[in-house]
Short mmCIF file of all heavy atoms in Angstrom, two decimals:
data_model
loop_
_atom_site.label_atom_id
_atom_site.label_comp_id
_atom_site.label_asym_id
_atom_site.label_seq_id
_atom_site.Cartn_x
_atom_site.Cartn_y
_atom_site.Cartn_z
N SER G 1 -0.88 -14.30 3.98
CA SER G 1 -0.31 -12.96 4.05
C SER G 1 -0.75 -12.28 5.34
O SER G 1 -1.92 -12.36 5.73
CB SER G 1 -0.78 -12.13 2.85
OG SER G 1 -0.50 -10.77 3.03
N PRO G 2 0.17 -11.59 6.03
CA PRO G 2 -0.21 -10.90 7.27
C PRO G 2 -1.20 -9.77 7.03
O PRO G 2 -1.81 -9.27 7.95
CB PRO G 2 1.13 -10.36 7.79
CG PRO G 2 2.01 -10.27 6.59
CD PRO G 2 1.61 -11.42 5.71
N PHE G 3 -1.36 -9.37 5.77
CA PHE G 3 -2.27 -8.26 5.44
C PHE G 3 -3.52 -8.74 4.71
O PHE G 3 -4.25 -7.94 4.13
CB PHE G 3 -1.55 -7.22 4.57
CG PHE G 3 -0.23 -6.78 5.13
CD1 PHE G 3 0.90 -6.73 4.32
CD2 PHE G 3 -0.10 -6.42 6.47
CE1 PHE G 3 2.11 -6.31 4.83
CE2 PHE G 3 1.12 -6.01 6.97
CZ PHE G 3 2.23 -5.95 6.16
N ALA G 4 -3.76 -10.06 4.72
CA ALA G 4 -4.86 -10.61 3.91
C ALA G 4 -6.20 -9.99 4.27
O ALA G 4 -7.03 -9.73 3.40
CB ALA G 4 -4.92 -12.13 4.09
N GLY G 5 -6.46 -9.76 5.55
CA GLY G 5 -7.75 -9.21 5.95
C GLY G 5 -8.01 -7.82 5.42
O GLY G 5 -9.16 -7.42 5.24
N LEU G 6 -6.94 -7.06 5.15
CA LEU G 6 -7.12 -5.68 4.66
C LEU G 6 -7.65 -5.65 3.24
O LEU G 6 -8.19 -4.63 2.81
CB LEU G 6 -5.78 -4.93 4.74
CG LEU G 6 -5.17 -4.80 6.15
CD1 LEU G 6 -3.84 -4.06 6.07
CD2 LEU G 6 -6.13 -4.06 7.08
N GLU G 7 -7.49 -6.73 2.49
CA GLU G 7 -7.97 -6.75 1.11
C GLU G 7 -9.48 -6.68 1.03
O GLU G 7 -10.03 -6.32 0.00
CB GLU G 7 -7.47 -8.02 0.42
CG GLU G 7 -5.95 -8.08 0.28
CD GLU G 7 -5.50 -9.32 -0.47
OE1 GLU G 7 -6.38 -10.12 -0.84
OE2 GLU G 7 -4.28 -9.48 -0.67
N LEU G 8 -10.17 -7.03 2.11
CA LEU G 8 -11.62 -7.05 2.11
C LEU G 8 -12.23 -5.69 2.44
O LEU G 8 -13.44 -5.51 2.31
CB LEU G 8 -12.14 -8.10 3.11
CG LEU G 8 -11.64 -9.53 2.88
CD1 LEU G 8 -12.15 -10.44 3.98
CD2 LEU G 8 -12.08 -10.03 1.50
N LEU G 9 -11.40 -4.75 2.90
CA LEU G 9 -11.92 -3.44 3.29
C LEU G 9 -12.26 -2.60 2.06
O LEU G 9 -11.57 -2.65 1.05
CB LEU G 9 -10.89 -2.69 4.14
CG LEU G 9 -10.53 -3.30 5.50
CD1 LEU G 9 -9.49 -2.45 6.20
CD2 LEU G 9 -11.78 -3.42 6.37
N SER G 10 -13.35 -1.84 2.17
CA SER G 10 -13.73 -0.97 1.06
C SER G 10 -12.90 0.31 1.03
O SER G 10 -12.75 0.93 -0.02
CB SER G 10 -15.22 -0.62 1.17
OG SER G 10 -15.48 0.05 2.39
N SER G 11 -12.37 0.70 2.17
CA SER G 11 -11.55 1.92 2.22
C SER G 11 -10.14 1.62 1.74
O SER G 11 -9.71 0.47 1.66
CB SER G 11 -11.53 2.48 3.64
OG SER G 11 -11.08 1.50 4.55
N ALA G 12 -9.42 2.69 1.41
CA ALA G 12 -8.04 2.57 0.93
C ALA G 12 -7.09 2.49 2.12
O ALA G 12 -7.08 3.37 2.98
CB ALA G 12 -7.69 3.76 0.05
N VAL G 13 -6.28 1.44 2.17
CA VAL G 13 -5.35 1.22 3.29
C VAL G 13 -3.93 1.11 2.75
O VAL G 13 -3.67 0.38 1.79
CB VAL G 13 -5.71 -0.04 4.07
CG1 VAL G 13 -4.66 -0.33 5.14
CG2 VAL G 13 -7.08 0.11 4.72
N VAL G 14 -3.01 1.86 3.39
CA VAL G 14 -1.59 1.83 3.04
C VAL G 14 -0.80 1.58 4.31
O VAL G 14 -1.07 2.21 5.34
CB VAL G 14 -1.14 3.16 2.39
CG1 VAL G 14 0.34 3.11 2.05
CG2 VAL G 14 -1.98 3.46 1.15
N LEU G 15 0.17 0.68 4.26
CA LEU G 15 1.06 0.41 5.39
C LEU G 15 2.45 0.87 5.05
O LEU G 15 2.97 0.61 3.95
CB LEU G 15 1.07 -1.09 5.72
CG LEU G 15 -0.23 -1.67 6.29
CD1 LEU G 15 -0.13 -3.18 6.41
CD2 LEU G 15 -0.55 -1.06 7.64
N VAL G 16 3.08 1.59 5.99
CA VAL G 16 4.45 2.08 5.80
C VAL G 16 5.30 1.70 6.99
O VAL G 16 4.78 1.40 8.08
CB VAL G 16 4.46 3.61 5.60
CG1 VAL G 16 3.65 4.02 4.37
CG2 VAL G 16 3.93 4.33 6.84
N ASP G 17 6.63 1.72 6.80
CA ASP G 17 7.54 1.41 7.90
C ASP G 17 8.04 2.69 8.55
O ASP G 17 7.53 3.78 8.29
CB ASP G 17 8.69 0.54 7.40
CG ASP G 17 9.53 1.23 6.33
OD1 ASP G 17 9.43 2.48 6.20
OD2 ASP G 17 10.29 0.54 5.63
N ASP G 18 9.04 2.55 9.42
CA ASP G 18 9.56 3.72 10.14
C ASP G 18 10.12 4.79 9.22
O ASP G 18 10.15 5.98 9.58
CB ASP G 18 10.66 3.27 11.12
CG ASP G 18 10.10 2.39 12.22
OD1 ASP G 18 10.05 1.16 12.01
OD2 ASP G 18 9.73 2.94 13.27
N GLU G 19 10.60 4.40 8.06
CA GLU G 19 11.19 5.35 7.13
C GLU G 19 10.16 5.87 6.13
O GLU G 19 10.52 6.50 5.14
CB GLU G 19 12.34 4.69 6.37
CG GLU G 19 13.46 4.15 7.27
CD GLU G 19 14.10 5.27 8.07
OE1 GLU G 19 14.26 6.38 7.51
OE2 GLU G 19 14.46 5.02 9.24
N LEU G 20 8.88 5.58 6.39
CA LEU G 20 7.77 5.97 5.51
C LEU G 20 7.93 5.36 4.12
O LEU G 20 7.58 5.98 3.10
CB LEU G 20 7.64 7.49 5.43
CG LEU G 20 7.40 8.22 6.75
CD1 LEU G 20 7.19 9.71 6.53
CD2 LEU G 20 6.21 7.61 7.49
N ILE G 21 8.44 4.14 4.10
CA ILE G 21 8.50 3.36 2.86
C ILE G 21 7.23 2.50 2.80
O ILE G 21 6.88 1.83 3.77
CB ILE G 21 9.75 2.46 2.81
CG1 ILE G 21 11.02 3.32 2.94
CG2 ILE G 21 9.78 1.64 1.53
CD1 ILE G 21 11.19 4.35 1.85
N VAL G 22 6.58 2.51 1.67
CA VAL G 22 5.33 1.76 1.52
C VAL G 22 5.62 0.26 1.51
O VAL G 22 6.47 -0.22 0.76
CB VAL G 22 4.60 2.16 0.21
CG1 VAL G 22 3.34 1.32 0.03
CG2 VAL G 22 4.25 3.64 0.23
N ARG G 23 4.91 -0.47 2.37
CA ARG G 23 5.07 -1.92 2.45
C ARG G 23 3.86 -2.69 1.93
O ARG G 23 3.96 -3.87 1.63
CB ARG G 23 5.35 -2.32 3.90
CG ARG G 23 6.67 -1.79 4.44
CD ARG G 23 7.81 -2.23 3.55
NE ARG G 23 9.10 -1.65 3.94
CZ ARG G 23 10.20 -1.72 3.21
NH1 ARG G 23 10.13 -2.32 2.02
NH2 ARG G 23 11.32 -1.18 3.62
N TYR G 24 2.73 -1.98 1.82
CA TYR G 24 1.52 -2.69 1.35
C TYR G 24 0.46 -1.68 0.94
O TYR G 24 0.32 -0.62 1.58
CB TYR G 24 0.98 -3.59 2.46
CG TYR G 24 -0.39 -4.17 2.17
CD1 TYR G 24 -0.54 -5.27 1.33
CD2 TYR G 24 -1.54 -3.61 2.72
CE1 TYR G 24 -1.80 -5.79 1.05
CE2 TYR G 24 -2.81 -4.13 2.44
CZ TYR G 24 -2.92 -5.23 1.62
OH TYR G 24 -4.16 -5.74 1.34
N LEU G 25 -0.27 -2.00 -0.14
CA LEU G 25 -1.49 -1.29 -0.55
C LEU G 25 -2.59 -2.33 -0.73
O LEU G 25 -2.35 -3.37 -1.36
CB LEU G 25 -1.32 -0.56 -1.88
CG LEU G 25 -0.55 0.75 -1.96
CD1 LEU G 25 0.94 0.45 -2.05
CD2 LEU G 25 -0.99 1.53 -3.19
N ASN G 26 -3.76 -2.05 -0.19
CA ASN G 26 -4.86 -2.97 -0.45
C ASN G 26 -5.53 -2.59 -1.78
O ASN G 26 -5.25 -1.52 -2.35
CB ASN G 26 -5.86 -3.00 0.71
CG ASN G 26 -6.75 -1.78 0.76
OD1 ASN G 26 -6.42 -0.72 0.20
ND2 ASN G 26 -7.88 -1.88 1.43
N PRO G 27 -6.40 -3.45 -2.33
CA PRO G 27 -7.04 -3.12 -3.62
C PRO G 27 -7.79 -1.79 -3.61
O PRO G 27 -7.86 -1.11 -4.62
CB PRO G 27 -7.99 -4.31 -3.83
CG PRO G 27 -7.35 -5.44 -3.10
CD PRO G 27 -6.73 -4.81 -1.88
N GLY G 28 -8.37 -1.44 -2.44
CA GLY G 28 -9.06 -0.16 -2.36
C GLY G 28 -8.13 1.01 -2.60
O GLY G 28 -8.50 2.01 -3.22
N ALA G 29 -6.89 0.91 -2.09
CA ALA G 29 -5.91 1.98 -2.30
C ALA G 29 -5.44 2.01 -3.75
O ALA G 29 -5.24 3.09 -4.33
CB ALA G 29 -4.72 1.78 -1.36
N GLU G 30 -5.26 0.83 -4.34
CA GLU G 30 -4.86 0.80 -5.75
C GLU G 30 -5.91 1.48 -6.62
O GLU G 30 -5.58 2.22 -7.56
CB GLU G 30 -4.67 -0.65 -6.20
CG GLU G 30 -3.45 -1.34 -5.60
CD GLU G 30 -3.30 -2.76 -6.10
OE1 GLU G 30 -4.27 -3.54 -5.97
OE2 GLU G 30 -2.21 -3.08 -6.63
N ASN G 31 -7.18 1.22 -6.30
CA ASN G 31 -8.26 1.82 -7.08
C ASN G 31 -8.35 3.33 -6.86
O ASN G 31 -8.51 4.11 -7.80
CB ASN G 31 -9.58 1.13 -6.72
CG ASN G 31 -10.72 1.56 -7.62
OD1 ASN G 31 -10.58 1.61 -8.84
ND2 ASN G 31 -11.85 1.89 -7.02
N LEU G 32 -8.25 3.75 -5.60
CA LEU G 32 -8.39 5.18 -5.28
C LEU G 32 -7.27 6.00 -5.91
O LEU G 32 -7.52 7.07 -6.47
CB LEU G 32 -8.39 5.37 -3.76
CG LEU G 32 -8.44 6.81 -3.25
CD1 LEU G 32 -9.74 7.50 -3.68
CD2 LEU G 32 -8.30 6.86 -1.74
N PHE G 33 -6.04 5.51 -5.80
CA PHE G 33 -4.89 6.29 -6.28
C PHE G 33 -4.48 5.92 -7.70
O PHE G 33 -3.51 6.47 -8.22
CB PHE G 33 -3.70 6.08 -5.34
CG PHE G 33 -3.92 6.62 -3.95
CD1 PHE G 33 -4.11 5.76 -2.88
CD2 PHE G 33 -3.96 7.98 -3.71
CE1 PHE G 33 -4.33 6.24 -1.60
CE2 PHE G 33 -4.17 8.49 -2.44
CZ PHE G 33 -4.35 7.62 -1.38
N ALA G 34 -5.22 4.99 -8.32
CA ALA G 34 -4.90 4.55 -9.69
C ALA G 34 -3.44 4.15 -9.80
O ALA G 34 -2.69 4.60 -10.68
CB ALA G 34 -5.24 5.65 -10.70
N ALA G 35 -3.00 3.31 -8.85
CA ALA G 35 -1.60 2.88 -8.80
C ALA G 35 -1.55 1.40 -8.43
O ALA G 35 -2.37 0.92 -7.65
CB ALA G 35 -0.82 3.71 -7.76
N SER G 36 -0.58 0.69 -8.99
CA SER G 36 -0.44 -0.73 -8.68
C SER G 36 0.59 -0.92 -7.58
O SER G 36 1.56 -0.16 -7.47
CB SER G 36 -0.02 -1.51 -9.93
OG SER G 36 1.29 -1.15 -10.32
N SER G 37 0.39 -1.95 -6.77
CA SER G 37 1.34 -2.26 -5.70
C SER G 37 2.74 -2.47 -6.23
O SER G 37 3.73 -2.08 -5.60
CB SER G 37 0.88 -3.51 -4.94
OG SER G 37 -0.34 -3.28 -4.28
N ARG G 38 2.84 -3.08 -7.40
CA ARG G 38 4.15 -3.39 -7.96
C ARG G 38 5.00 -2.14 -8.18
O ARG G 38 6.22 -2.18 -8.05
CB ARG G 38 3.95 -4.12 -9.30
CG ARG G 38 5.23 -4.56 -9.98
CD ARG G 38 4.90 -5.44 -11.18
NE ARG G 38 3.97 -4.79 -12.08
CZ ARG G 38 4.33 -3.93 -13.04
NH1 ARG G 38 5.62 -3.62 -13.20
NH2 ARG G 38 3.44 -3.39 -13.83
N LYS G 39 4.35 -1.00 -8.47
CA LYS G 39 5.09 0.23 -8.74
C LYS G 39 5.24 1.12 -7.51
O LYS G 39 5.93 2.15 -7.57
CB LYS G 39 4.39 1.02 -9.85
CG LYS G 39 4.40 0.30 -11.19
CD LYS G 39 3.76 1.16 -12.28
CE LYS G 39 3.81 0.46 -13.62
NZ LYS G 39 3.20 1.29 -14.70
N ILE G 40 4.58 0.75 -6.40
CA ILE G 40 4.59 1.62 -5.23
C ILE G 40 5.31 0.97 -4.03
O ILE G 40 6.07 1.62 -3.33
CB ILE G 40 3.15 2.00 -4.82
CG1 ILE G 40 2.47 2.79 -5.95
CG2 ILE G 40 3.15 2.81 -3.53
CD1 ILE G 40 3.14 4.11 -6.29
N VAL G 41 5.04 -0.31 -3.79
CA VAL G 41 5.64 -0.99 -2.64
C VAL G 41 7.16 -0.98 -2.76
O VAL G 41 7.73 -1.29 -3.81
CB VAL G 41 5.11 -2.43 -2.52
CG1 VAL G 41 5.88 -3.21 -1.46
CG2 VAL G 41 3.62 -2.43 -2.20
N GLY G 42 7.82 -0.58 -1.66
CA GLY G 42 9.28 -0.48 -1.65
C GLY G 42 9.78 0.92 -1.92
O GLY G 42 11.00 1.18 -1.84
N TYR G 43 8.86 1.83 -2.23
CA TYR G 43 9.25 3.22 -2.49
C TYR G 43 8.67 4.14 -1.41
O TYR G 43 7.78 3.76 -0.65
CB TYR G 43 8.73 3.66 -3.87
CG TYR G 43 9.39 2.96 -5.02
CD1 TYR G 43 8.86 1.78 -5.54
CD2 TYR G 43 10.56 3.46 -5.59
CE1 TYR G 43 9.47 1.12 -6.59
CE2 TYR G 43 11.17 2.82 -6.66
CZ TYR G 43 10.63 1.65 -7.16
OH TYR G 43 11.24 1.00 -8.20
N SER G 44 9.18 5.37 -1.38
CA SER G 44 8.72 6.34 -0.41
C SER G 44 7.23 6.65 -0.59
O SER G 44 6.71 6.61 -1.71
CB SER G 44 9.54 7.63 -0.53
OG SER G 44 8.98 8.67 0.24
N LEU G 45 6.57 6.98 0.51
CA LEU G 45 5.16 7.34 0.47
C LEU G 45 4.92 8.54 -0.44
O LEU G 45 3.83 8.71 -0.99
CB LEU G 45 4.67 7.65 1.89
CG LEU G 45 3.19 7.93 2.09
CD1 LEU G 45 2.34 6.73 1.69
CD2 LEU G 45 2.91 8.32 3.53
N ARG G 46 5.96 9.38 -0.61
CA ARG G 46 5.80 10.56 -1.48
C ARG G 46 5.47 10.15 -2.92
O ARG G 46 4.84 10.89 -3.65
CB ARG G 46 7.08 11.39 -1.47
CG ARG G 46 7.33 12.14 -0.17
CD ARG G 46 8.41 13.20 -0.33
NE ARG G 46 9.67 12.60 -0.78
CZ ARG G 46 10.59 12.12 0.06
NH1 ARG G 46 10.38 12.15 1.37
NH2 ARG G 46 11.70 11.61 -0.42
#
Protein backbone atom coordinates (compact mmCIF):
# COMPACT_ATOMS: atom_id res chain seq x y z
CA SER A 1 0.00 0.00 0.00
CA PRO A 2 1.34 3.48 -0.82
CA PHE A 3 0.19 4.56 2.65
CA ALA A 4 1.60 1.60 4.59
CA GLY A 5 4.15 3.70 6.49
CA LEU A 6 1.42 5.98 7.86
CA GLU A 7 -0.11 3.09 9.80
CA LEU A 8 2.85 3.16 12.19
CA LEU A 9 2.35 6.80 13.20
CA SER A 10 0.84 7.52 16.60
CA SER A 11 -0.81 10.70 15.35
CA ALA A 12 -4.04 10.76 13.35
CA VAL A 13 -3.42 11.10 9.60
CA VAL A 14 -6.04 11.71 6.90
CA LEU A 15 -5.37 11.98 3.15
CA VAL A 16 -7.77 13.81 0.83
CA ASP A 17 -7.83 14.60 -2.89
CA ASP A 18 -8.41 17.88 -4.72
CA GLU A 19 -12.13 17.70 -4.04
CA LEU A 20 -11.52 17.11 -0.30
CA ILE A 21 -12.72 13.53 -0.61
CA VAL A 22 -11.14 11.26 1.99
CA ARG A 23 -8.82 8.68 0.42
CA TYR A 24 -7.19 7.21 3.51
CA LEU A 25 -7.32 7.15 7.34
CA ASN A 26 -4.58 5.59 9.40
CA PRO A 27 -5.45 3.60 12.57
CA GLY A 28 -4.61 6.63 14.71
CA ALA A 29 -7.30 8.64 12.91
CA GLU A 30 -9.83 5.84 13.24
CA ASN A 31 -9.19 5.75 16.96
CA LEU A 32 -9.24 9.53 17.46
CA PHE A 33 -12.45 10.13 15.50
CA ALA A 34 -14.10 6.82 16.46
CA ALA A 35 -14.73 6.12 12.77
CA SER A 36 -13.84 3.24 10.47
CA SER A 37 -12.17 3.71 7.08
CA ARG A 38 -14.94 1.70 5.45
CA LYS A 39 -17.52 4.36 6.37
CA ILE A 40 -15.35 7.41 5.65
CA VAL A 41 -13.08 6.71 2.66
CA GLY A 42 -14.74 7.92 -0.55
CA TYR A 43 -16.83 10.54 1.21
CA SER A 44 -16.35 14.25 1.81
CA LEU A 45 -14.07 15.34 4.64
CA ARG A 46 -17.13 17.00 6.20
